[in-house]
Amino acid sequence: MKKRMPFRKYAMILSKCNAVTTCAWILLFLFPAGHGLFNSTSVQTVHRGMSVNISCNYKPSNDTESFIVELQTNNKLCSARKMNTSWKEHLCCNHCRFIWSLETVQMTFEVSNLQINDTGTYKCIVTRSIPPPSVTLREERTFVQVIAQPTVSVTHVRAMSGFPMMLCISEGFYPSGLDQMWIRNGEFLNGSLTHSINKTNPDSSFTVHSYLNTSDCVNYSCWVNHSSLSQPTIHHMSPNECYRNKALFIDENVWIIAVTSAMMILTILILTVVCERSRRAQHKSPVRMNAAPASDLHSQVEYEVYSMLGHHRPVPCSPVSVRSSPNEDILL
């Protein structure tokens, strides 16, 4: 019994090997060489405005094999059909096209003029539909990272208090990770001396504004580093430019003070004139209206009676009282 134990071990191992071999033959029968379904993900980094080639990494087993190859993201970008020895491209957007290399027997999709919003995962899917049912022969994924370099500028600005400040702007970069620091006479400044403003642009890129309070004119520089740059970039502000900008700010302040003073003097003069006129109007004597005394009706009213007979002139008449009753007089 002890001698038979090793034999049983070898028999079990041999049976397992036969089972694995059988499974391997079944897989090779179902998926011949060149038709294996393999999901892989590669990464490509592309600068904004450039193109990228996405390979499907599938080689037909023979020239007469028929299948459909598609490039997809959230929706279908492009597709092509192989019928025997010919290709037919259809349903491709403007910035995407299908490339077939007869020499290397490679299928590739080219996506041009990439923008930041084009960042994402692209899938190349090869499907055989004839004979039915439809079978996926290959699916490969490529993550495309679109990057954009920052545009850096350094200038002098005026703060709300009127004092000059230095401003370093890095705009239009992607992704968002960016380092921006100030250098004074070759030494990096403490970040607490500056303050920054970050914002997102309509095209999904980013912009950073960094302000620095300056009390002197020495060699200042703005140091910027980003993943889209091969090395950090440094933008300088010379002392001569600093003095020139400060002189401009002083001239502007002098003009502002002069204009403000003139406006205040003019306002005071106008208020003085208005107050003086108001004071004089109050000291004038008021106009008095004397009412005419009441007089007798007979002395104020005079009737003229004109005779229309011949050339007689008008004859003035006085009112004539006609007594109709002892207590009433009628004036005629």
Side-chain angles (χ1 to χ4, degrees):
M1 294 293 294
K2 292 181 180 181
K3 291 183 179 180
R4 291 182 180 179
M5 290 294 294
F7 177 76
R8 289 183 179 179
K9 279 185 180 182
Y10 291 127
M12 293 174 64
I13 294 173
L14 183 61
S15 63
K16 290 182 178 180
C17 290
N18 291 334
V20 171
T21 304
T22 303
C23 293
W25 279 106
I26 293 173
L27 291 174
L28 288 175
F29 177 77
L30 294 176
F31 302 100
H35 292 69
L37 176 61
F38 180 76
N39 294 326
S40 63
T41 302
S42 59
V43 179
Q44 294 196 43
T45 303
V46 185
H47 285 270
R48 180 170 52 184
M50 303 301 290
S51 302
V52 64
N53 291 330
I54 301 174
S55 179
C56 295
N57 292 327
Y58 177 80
K59 293 183 179 181
S61 59
N62 54 66
D63 295 337
T64 60
E65 185 179 4
S66 299
F67 53 84
I68 299 174
V69 56
E70 295 179 350
L71 180 66
Q72 300 179 1
T73 51
N74 296 329
N75 49 15
K76 185 164 61 175
L77 298 178
C78 187
S79 65
R81 178 185 294 272
K82 182 178 181 297
M83 299 293 294
N84 297 327
T85 58
S86 62
W87 284 91
K88 182 179 180 182
E89 179 180 327
H90 58 93
L91 297 177
C92 290
C93 57
N94 294 331
H95 64 285
C96 184
R97 68 187 184 100
F98 175 75
I99 301 173
W100 164 254
S101 176
L102 185 60
E103 297 178 356
T104 59
V105 196
Q106 287 287 338
M107 296 177 298
T108 307
F109 288 97
E110 181 187 45
V111 184
S112 60
N113 192 25
L114 288 167
Q115 301 300 315
I116 294 174
N117 294 329
D118 294 325
T119 297
T121 301
Y122 292 75
K123 295 186 294 183
C124 182
I125 303 175
V126 182
T127 305
R128 184 182 63 200
S129 57
I130 301 176
S134 179
V135 177
T136 301
L137 304 177
R138 180 84 175 186
E139 178 178 335
E140 187 162 348
R141 300 182 180 184
T142 302
F143 181 79
V144 177
Q145 174 69 66
V146 181
I147 60 177
Q149 294 184 357
T151 301
V152 184
S153 62
V154 180
T155 184
H156 273 87
V157 295
R158 185 169 55 197
M160 296 295 293
S161 59
F163 294 99
M165 300 180 66
M166 292 189 66
L167 171 62
C168 182
I169 303 177
S170 297
E171 56 184 344
F173 61 89
Y174 189 86
S176 60
L178 180 135
D179 296 323
Q180 184 166 286
M181 300 182 66
W182 286 99
I183 301 176
R184 181 181 182 276
N185 286 337
E187 296 183 357
F188 287 96
L189 295 177
N190 190 347
S192 61
L193 301 176
T194 66
H195 65 278
S196 301
I197 300 175
N198 303 335
K199 69 174 185 177
T200 304
N201 302 318
D203 62 349
S204 300
S205 64
F206 299 92
T207 296
V208 171
H209 295 74
S210 180
Y211 293 88
L212 175 66
N213 293 318
T214 57
S215 59
D216 54 3
C217 286
V218 294
N219 290 315
Y220 284 97
S221 303
C222 183
W223 180 89
V224 176
N225 191 20
H226 189 252
S227 59
S228 62
L229 302 172
S230 57
Q231 60 182 4
T233 179
I234 300 177
H235 290 255
H236 304 280
M237 178 67 72
S238 64
N240 293 333
E241 188 174 358
C242 175
Y243 285 119
R244 184 168 59 252
N245 290 329
K246 280 194 173 183
L248 292 176
F249 284 131
I250 293 174
D251 293 339
E252 289 181 3
N253 290 334
V254 170
W255 277 105
I256 292 173
I257 293 173
V259 172
T260 304
S261 301
M263 294 296 293
M264 290 179 64
I265 293 173
L266 181 60
T267 303
I268 293 173
L269 291 175
I270 293 173
L271 291 175
T272 302
V273 172
V274 172
C275 292
E276 182 64 20
R277 289 185 177 181
S278 177
R279 185 180 64 82
R280 290 181 180 179
Q282 290 179 359
H283 286 299
K284 285 184 178 180
S285 298
V287 179
R288 298 179 179 179
M289 301 297 294
N290 293 326
S295 61
D296 186 55
L297 180 62
H298 298 287
S299 62
Q300 291 184 357
V301 180
E302 185 178 4
Y303 292 92
E304 293 184 355
V305 178
Y306 293 87
S307 174
M308 301 303 294
L309 301 175
H311 296 285
H312 293 282
R313 294 182 179 178
V315 178
C317 297
S318 296
V320 179
S321 56
V322 178
R323 186 177 299 272
S324 58
S325 64
N327 297 328
E328 291 183 2
D329 291 339
I330 297 176
L331 296 180
L332 297 178

